[in-house]
Protein backbone atom coordinates (compact mmCIF):
# COMPACT_ATOMS: atom_id res chain seq x y z
CA UNK A 1 0.00 0.00 0.00
CA UNK A 2 1.26 3.48 -0.88
CA UNK A 3 2.31 5.75 1.98
CA UNK A 4 -0.53 7.97 3.16
CA UNK A 5 0.14 11.67 2.83
CA UNK A 6 -1.12 13.53 5.90
CA UNK A 7 -2.06 17.16 6.51
CA UNK A 8 -2.69 18.40 10.05
CA UNK A 9 -4.96 21.42 10.63
CA UNK A 10 -4.30 23.16 13.94
CA UNK A 11 -5.13 26.53 15.48
CA UNK A 12 -3.14 26.52 18.68
CA UNK A 13 -0.25 25.08 20.66
CA UNK A 14 -0.21 21.81 18.69
CA UNK A 15 0.64 19.19 21.30
CA UNK A 16 -1.53 16.70 19.40
CA UNK A 17 0.29 17.62 16.20
CA UNK A 18 3.51 16.87 18.10
CA UNK A 19 2.17 13.43 19.03
CA UNK A 20 1.74 12.68 15.31
CA UNK A 21 5.22 14.03 14.46
CA UNK A 22 6.71 11.89 17.25
CA UNK A 23 4.63 8.85 16.27
CA UNK A 24 6.00 8.92 12.74
CA UNK A 25 9.56 9.45 14.02
CA UNK A 26 9.49 6.64 16.56
CA UNK A 27 7.69 4.14 14.33
CA UNK A 28 4.37 4.06 16.19
CA UNK A 29 2.73 5.46 13.05
CA UNK A 30 3.48 3.42 9.96
CA UNK A 31 3.00 3.92 6.25
CA UNK A 32 2.60 7.69 6.65
CA UNK A 33 4.32 10.93 5.75
CA UNK A 34 3.36 14.23 7.38
CA UNK A 35 3.34 16.54 4.41
CA UNK A 36 1.76 19.75 5.60
CA UNK A 37 0.51 21.70 8.62
CA UNK A 38 -2.15 24.35 8.00
CA UNK A 39 -3.33 26.96 10.48
CA UNK A 40 -5.89 29.75 10.44
CA UNK A 41 -3.87 31.44 13.18
CA UNK A 42 -0.61 33.13 12.27
CA UNK A 43 0.68 32.79 15.83
CA UNK A 44 -0.22 29.12 16.31
CA UNK A 45 2.68 27.34 17.98
CA UNK A 46 1.71 24.36 15.79
CA UNK A 47 3.31 26.20 12.84
CA UNK A 48 6.58 26.50 14.78
CA UNK A 49 6.51 22.81 15.57
CA UNK A 50 6.06 22.00 11.89
CA UNK A 51 8.97 24.21 10.84
CA UNK A 52 11.19 22.83 13.58
CA UNK A 53 10.58 19.39 12.13
CA UNK A 54 11.09 20.27 8.48
CA UNK A 55 7.39 20.05 7.65
CA UNK A 56 5.77 22.62 5.37
CA UNK A 57 3.81 25.11 7.50
CA UNK A 58 1.09 27.15 5.90
CA UNK A 59 -0.83 30.02 7.47
CA UNK A 60 -3.96 30.63 5.45
CA UNK A 61 -5.47 33.88 6.69
CA UNK A 62 -9.29 33.65 6.95
CA UNK A 63 -9.57 37.46 6.73
CA UNK A 64 -8.43 37.44 3.11
CA UNK A 65 -11.49 35.40 2.01
CA UNK A 66 -15.10 36.45 1.48
CA UNK A 67 -16.51 33.79 3.75
CA UNK A 68 -16.15 30.35 5.22
CA UNK A 69 -16.89 28.54 1.92
CA UNK A 70 -14.11 30.36 0.09
CA UNK A 71 -11.74 29.84 2.98
CA UNK A 72 -12.42 26.11 3.03
CA UNK A 73 -11.96 25.96 -0.74
CA UNK A 74 -8.53 27.56 -0.39
CA UNK A 75 -7.46 24.93 2.15
CA UNK A 76 -8.89 22.19 -0.06
CA UNK A 77 -6.87 23.46 -2.97
CA UNK A 78 -3.68 23.44 -0.88
CA UNK A 79 -4.41 19.84 0.16
CA UNK A 80 -5.17 18.70 -3.37
CA UNK A 81 -2.02 20.28 -4.72
CA UNK A 82 -0.03 18.15 -2.29
CA UNK A 83 -2.10 15.03 -2.96
CA UNK A 84 -3.11 14.73 0.71
CA UNK A 85 -4.87 11.46 1.63
CA UNK A 86 -5.70 12.06 5.30
CA UNK A 87 -6.63 15.26 7.13
CA UNK A 88 -6.07 15.35 10.90
CA UNK A 89 -7.81 18.05 12.94
CA UNK A 90 -5.68 18.70 16.01
CA UNK A 91 -7.22 21.59 17.89
CA UNK A 92 -8.50 23.23 14.71
CA UNK A 93 -11.02 25.89 15.68
CA UNK A 94 -12.79 26.53 12.39
CA UNK A 95 -15.84 24.70 11.06
CA UNK A 96 -15.25 22.66 7.91
CA UNK A 97 -17.61 23.36 5.00
CA UNK A 98 -19.88 20.61 3.62
CA UNK A 99 -17.83 20.68 0.41
CA UNK A 100 -14.65 20.02 2.41
CA UNK A 101 -16.22 17.11 4.28
CA UNK A 102 -17.52 15.67 1.00
CA UNK A 103 -14.11 15.96 -0.65
CA UNK A 104 -12.43 14.07 2.20
CA UNK A 105 -15.27 11.77 3.25
CA UNK A 106 -14.00 9.21 5.81
CA UNK A 107 -10.55 10.71 5.49
CA UNK A 108 -10.78 13.44 8.17
CA UNK A 109 -9.99 12.54 11.78
CA UNK A 110 -10.66 14.74 14.82
CA UNK A 111 -9.60 14.44 18.46
CA UNK A 112 -12.03 15.55 21.17
CA UNK A 113 -11.30 15.75 24.92
CA UNK A 114 -14.39 13.92 26.22
CA UNK A 115 -16.23 10.65 25.77
CA UNK A 116 -18.51 11.48 22.82
CA UNK A 117 -21.55 11.79 22.81
CA UNK A 118 -21.11 13.51 26.20
CA UNK A 119 -19.74 17.04 26.53
CA UNK A 120 -19.37 17.64 22.82
CA UNK A 121 -21.00 19.52 19.97
CA UNK A 122 -21.13 23.17 19.10
CA UNK A 123 -19.23 25.37 21.59
CA UNK A 124 -17.64 22.46 23.45
CA UNK A 125 -13.95 23.12 23.21
CA UNK A 126 -11.12 24.17 25.47
CA UNK A 127 -11.74 24.52 29.18
CA UNK A 128 -15.52 24.41 28.83
CA UNK A 129 -15.50 20.65 28.25
CA UNK A 130 -13.65 19.88 31.47
CA UNK A 131 -15.49 22.54 33.50
CA UNK A 132 -18.84 21.01 32.57
CA UNK A 133 -17.55 17.50 33.28
CA UNK A 134 -16.66 18.66 36.81
CA UNK A 135 -19.91 20.60 37.29
CA UNK A 136 -22.03 17.67 36.17
CA UNK A 137 -20.22 15.37 38.52
CA UNK A 138 -19.58 12.46 36.16
CA UNK A 139 -17.06 9.95 37.48
CA UNK A 140 -15.41 9.22 34.15
CA UNK A 141 -14.53 11.35 31.17
CA UNK A 142 -11.95 10.65 28.48
CA UNK A 143 -10.89 11.25 24.92
CA UNK A 144 -12.38 10.32 21.54
CA UNK A 145 -10.93 10.11 18.05
CA UNK A 146 -13.58 10.10 15.33
CA UNK A 147 -14.16 10.58 11.64
CA UNK A 148 -15.57 13.97 10.76
CA UNK A 149 -18.96 14.26 9.10
CA UNK A 150 -21.16 17.31 8.44
CA UNK A 151 -22.14 17.68 12.13
CA UNK A 152 -20.08 18.85 15.09
CA UNK A 153 -18.46 15.88 16.86
CA UNK A 154 -21.07 13.52 15.37
CA UNK A 155 -18.94 11.32 13.08
CA UNK A 156 -18.20 7.60 13.56
CA UNK A 157 -15.98 6.86 16.54
CA UNK A 158 -12.59 5.27 15.91
CA UNK A 159 -11.07 5.08 19.41
CA UNK A 160 -12.06 6.12 22.93
CA UNK A 161 -10.40 5.83 26.29
CA UNK A 162 -11.81 6.67 29.70
CA UNK A 163 -10.14 8.87 32.30
CA UNK A 164 -11.30 8.76 35.91
CA UNK A 165 -12.48 12.04 37.43
CA UNK A 166 -10.92 12.41 40.87
CA UNK A 167 -12.55 14.27 43.79
CA UNK A 168 -9.64 16.73 43.97
CA UNK A 169 -9.60 17.45 40.21
CA UNK A 170 -9.56 20.98 38.86
CA UNK A 171 -10.20 21.96 35.23
CA UNK A 172 -6.46 22.12 34.81
CA UNK A 173 -5.55 18.79 36.37
CA UNK A 174 -8.31 17.00 34.49
CA UNK A 175 -7.38 18.62 31.16
CA UNK A 176 -3.78 17.50 31.67
CA UNK A 177 -4.70 13.87 32.33
CA UNK A 178 -7.10 13.78 29.37
CA UNK A 179 -4.44 15.35 27.14
CA UNK A 180 -1.99 12.57 27.99
CA UNK A 181 -4.58 10.08 26.70
CA UNK A 182 -5.19 12.18 23.57
CA UNK A 183 -1.49 11.91 22.79
CA UNK A 184 -1.79 8.11 22.86
CA UNK A 185 -5.10 7.78 20.99
CA UNK A 186 -4.44 10.17 18.10
CA UNK A 187 -1.21 8.56 16.82
CA UNK A 188 -2.81 5.14 17.27
CA UNK A 189 -5.83 6.12 15.16
CA UNK A 190 -3.61 7.70 12.50
CA UNK A 191 -1.52 4.52 12.35
CA UNK A 192 -4.64 2.33 12.00
CA UNK A 193 -5.92 4.54 9.21
CA UNK A 194 -2.63 4.64 7.34
CA UNK A 195 -2.20 0.86 7.53
CA UNK A 196 -5.71 0.35 6.15
CA UNK A 197 -7.06 -1.21 9.34
CA UNK A 198 -10.28 0.83 9.60
CA UNK A 199 -13.50 -0.30 7.97
CA UNK A 200 -16.88 1.39 8.42
CA UNK A 201 -20.18 -0.42 8.81
CA UNK A 202 -22.90 2.22 9.06
CA UNK A 203 -21.78 4.26 12.08
CA UNK A 204 -19.50 1.58 13.48
CA UNK A 205 -15.80 1.62 12.79
CA UNK A 206 -14.38 -1.89 12.72
CA UNK A 207 -10.68 -2.24 13.50
CA UNK A 208 -9.06 -5.01 11.50
CA UNK A 209 -5.58 -6.39 11.98
CA UNK A 210 -3.44 -5.81 8.91
C1 LIG B 1 -7.13 19.23 22.49
O1 LIG B 1 -7.69 19.13 23.76
C2 LIG B 1 -8.03 18.55 21.48
O2 LIG B 1 -8.74 17.47 21.99
C3 LIG B 1 -8.99 19.65 21.11
O3 LIG B 1 -8.23 20.82 21.14
C4 LIG B 1 -7.10 20.65 21.99
C5 LIG B 1 -5.88 20.96 21.19
O4 LIG B 1 -4.70 20.91 21.93
N1 LIG B 1 -9.64 19.36 19.86
P1 LIG B 1 -3.30 20.98 21.19
O5 LIG B 1 -3.27 22.26 20.36
O6 LIG B 1 -3.17 19.77 20.33
O7 LIG B 1 -2.28 21.00 22.28
Amino acid sequence: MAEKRIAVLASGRGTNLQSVIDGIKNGNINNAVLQLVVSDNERAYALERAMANGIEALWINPRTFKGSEDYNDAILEALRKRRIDLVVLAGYMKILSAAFVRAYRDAIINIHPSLIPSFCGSGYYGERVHREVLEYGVKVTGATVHFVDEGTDTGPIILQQAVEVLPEDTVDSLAKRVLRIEHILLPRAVDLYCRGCLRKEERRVIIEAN
Side-chain angles (χ1 to χ4, degrees):
M1 199 198 313
E3 261 189 353
K4 299 288 183 196
R5 298 164 66 84
I6 303 174
V8 173
L9 274 51
S11 302
R13 62 193 170 172
T15 65
N16 279 289
L17 160 67
Q18 191 67 51
S19 77
V20 174
I21 293 172
D22 295 344
I24 291 175
K25 267 197 197 145
N26 64 27
N28 284 340
I29 299 176
N30 298 277
N31 201 41
V33 52
L34 182 43
Q35 205 61 40
L36 174 69
V37 173
V38 180
S39 186
D40 57 309
N41 173 10
E42 187 181 16
R43 288 192 300 274
Y45 192 63
L47 291 173
E48 304 279 331
R49 292 181 193 266
M51 287 185 283
N53 287 278
I55 300 159
E56 186 185 0
L58 208 56
W59 168 48
I60 306 185
N61 184 355
R63 294 214 190 96
T64 57
F65 296 88
K66 262 195 283 140
S68 165
E69 298 283 315
D70 288 1
Y71 182 64
N72 275 271
D73 287 349
I75 299 179
L76 255 185
E77 196 189 313
L79 302 185
R80 284 198 174 121
K81 230 186 239 165
R82 292 158 183 84
R83 291 176 289 110
I84 297 299
D85 300 301
L86 172 67
V87 181
V88 177
L89 307 185
Y92 181 62
M93 302 304 289
K94 289 234 168 292
I95 300 290
L96 297 184
S97 66
F100 192 115
V101 174
R102 229 179 296 122
Y104 276 94
R105 169 88 52 210
D106 297 336
I108 311 170
I109 285 177
N110 181 46
I111 175 95
H112 183 78
S114 78
L115 289 178
I116 290 174
S118 287
F119 307 104
C120 64
S122 180
Y124 278 91
Y125 58 86
E127 287 194 350
R128 179 177 171 195
V129 177
H130 306 294
R131 198 182 337 111
E132 291 203 16
V133 160
L134 290 174
E135 278 168 13
Y136 198 98
V138 293
K139 303 294 186 190
V140 284
T141 181
T144 303
V145 185
H146 64 94
F147 282 121
V148 172
D149 65 9
E150 281 80 356
T152 306
D153 300 330
T154 52
I157 291 169
I158 302 169
L159 294 173
Q160 287 188 301
Q161 190 170 318
V163 171
E164 197 179 347
V165 181
L166 304 174
E168 64 272 24
D169 261 329
T170 60
V171 167
D172 210 44
S173 67
L174 190 55
K176 276 199 184 112
R177 278 209 316 293
V178 171
L179 193 63
R180 276 207 289 276
I181 299 305
E182 294 181 43
H183 296 161
I184 296 170
L185 289 195
L186 185 61
R188 196 178 284 161
V190 171
D191 175 62
L192 288 169
Y193 181 91
C194 292
R195 288 193 296 113
C197 297
L198 300 179
R199 183 169 56 81
K200 241 183 55 183
E201 269 179 21
E202 310 275 322
R203 276 197 57 85
R204 293 172 60 212
V205 178
I206 315 291
I207 300 175
E208 294 171 326
N210 247 353

